[in-house]
Amino acid sequence: MADSSPASGDNQTSTENTVQPPSGSVPMSDTELETAKVQPHDGPANDEPTAQSRATPAETEMAPKATPPPVDKQTEGGSLSIEASNLPPPALPPGSSPELPVCSITLLLPTGARHPYRLDEKYLAKRNVDIPDVTESGAKDPFSISVYKLKELILREWREEWDGKPASPSSIRLIHFGKLLDDKEQLKKYQFSMDNPNVVHMSVRPAEMMEEEEAGKGKTSTRDGRRNREGGSGCCVIL
C-alpha cells in the first residue's frame, strides 16, 4: 500500500506538465504540417504566369495584324469622284449645307454598269473648274457648267475597268432622256433634277467615225468657201 502512493503522485505531475491544445482546435496531421512549411505565405501555391507574360517576342511579332480595308484609287484623293459600279449615290459630307446645289449623275455604260457621279462646288473647286452662274441664294451652280466641261471631267476620272479610253472629250457621247447633249450647252438646259440622280447614257464614238466626221466638216467648209469666192467674182455693179 505504501508503494502505490508515490506512483500516483508522479503520474499526476506528468499530466500537469503536458501542454494541452486550445479548445476548439483541430490537430494537424504530419502531411499537412510539411505542406505548411513548404508553401510560402505571400501568395498562392501554384502561381503560374499569365498567357500574355508567357508569350515570347517572336510569337508577338508573328501574330496576325489587322489589315485595313482596300482604298479605291479613284476616290483616294477625294470622295467626290466617280464611284464604283452599282453603288448608291454618295451622301452629303458631314457639315455640308443642304442649300448647296448638287448635281447627282448616274453614268450608265453600254455594259449596263451604273456609276454614281456627283458634281458640287467642292468637287469643281478641286479640279479648278470655273462655275459661271450662281443660284438665287448666291451659291455656285454646278448645273451651269457646259456639257463639254462635264466630258472633260469624265475623261479625267476615267476608271481602269472601262475599256476604250477616248483620246479627247469630243469622242464621249452623253444622252439624257433620249436627247444627245450638245457640247456647247449648259447642263441646266436639259432639265437635270436637283433632288434625284440623273441617268446619263455614256458611250464612246469609234475613232473611224470621228475621222469621217472631221473629213465631212472639212469638205463642207471648203465647199462653202468656194461658193463665196465664185459669188464674189460674178457680181457686177450697175451705176
Side-chain angles (χ1 to χ4, degrees):
M1 296 295 292
D3 297 337
S4 60
S5 298
S8 59
D10 296 339
N11 293 337
Q12 183 176 2
T13 304
S14 60
T15 304
E16 291 177 356
N17 295 332
T18 304
V19 178
Q20 298 294 332
S23 60
S25 62
V26 179
M28 298 177 63
S29 61
D30 296 340
T31 305
E32 292 176 347
L33 290 175
E34 294 178 358
T35 305
K37 293 178 180 179
V38 174
Q39 179 179 347
H41 297 281
D42 56 351
N46 298 325
D47 191 7
E48 297 181 356
T50 60
Q52 184 176 1
S53 61
R54 289 197 304 267
T56 60
E59 294 176 353
T60 306
E61 294 178 357
M62 295 176 61
K65 298 180 180 180
T67 304
V71 180
D72 191 352
K73 295 181 180 180
Q74 298 291 336
T75 60
E76 188 173 6
S79 60
L80 303 178
S81 59
I82 299 177
E83 300 291 341
S85 175
N86 300 327
L87 290 179
L92 290 175
S96 61
S97 174
E99 298 179 356
L100 297 177
V102 177
C103 179
S104 181
I105 297 175
T106 300
L107 293 177
L108 179 59
L109 275 62
T111 58
R114 296 171 178 263
H115 294 267
Y117 189 27
R118 190 179 68 196
L119 305 172
D120 60 2
E121 181 180 353
K122 181 180 178 181
Y123 170 82
L124 298 176
K126 281 185 176 181
R127 276 117 185 115
N128 299 323
V129 176
D130 184 24
I131 303 177
D133 299 340
V134 297
T135 61
E136 296 179 356
S137 61
K140 293 185 177 181
D141 187 6
F143 295 89
S144 63
I145 66 173
S146 65
V147 174
Y148 187 81
K149 183 61 67 175
L150 174 60
K151 292 181 179 181
E152 287 182 339
L153 293 172
I154 294 176
L155 188 59
R156 291 175 59 181
E157 304 285 347
W158 199 267
R159 297 186 64 89
E160 295 179 357
E161 63 266 26
W162 296 352
D163 296 331
K165 183 177 181 180
S168 65
S170 302
S171 302
I172 301 176
R173 300 175 73 250
L174 300 178
I175 299 175
H176 178 61
F177 277 109
K179 295 182 179 180
L180 182 64
L181 306 187
D182 189 358
D183 291 351
K184 299 179 181 179
E185 300 295 340
Q186 294 178 329
L187 297 181
K188 59 184 178 182
K189 178 184 177 180
Y190 299 97
Q191 299 178 352
F192 275 41
S193 174
M194 298 182 61
D195 303 323
N196 302 314
N198 301 275
V199 179
V200 176
H201 296 255
M202 185 184 72
S203 60
V204 179
R205 297 179 183 178
E208 296 79 6
M209 185 181 296
M210 293 295 298
E211 293 177 359
E212 292 178 359
E213 291 180 359
E214 293 295 333
K217 291 179 180 179
K219 291 180 181 179
T220 302
S221 60
T222 303
R223 192 179 302 112
D224 293 340
R226 184 180 302 172
R227 288 177 182 175
N228 293 334
R229 289 195 300 271
E230 291 177 355
S233 60
C235 67
C236 74
V237 179
I238 300 176
L239 298 177

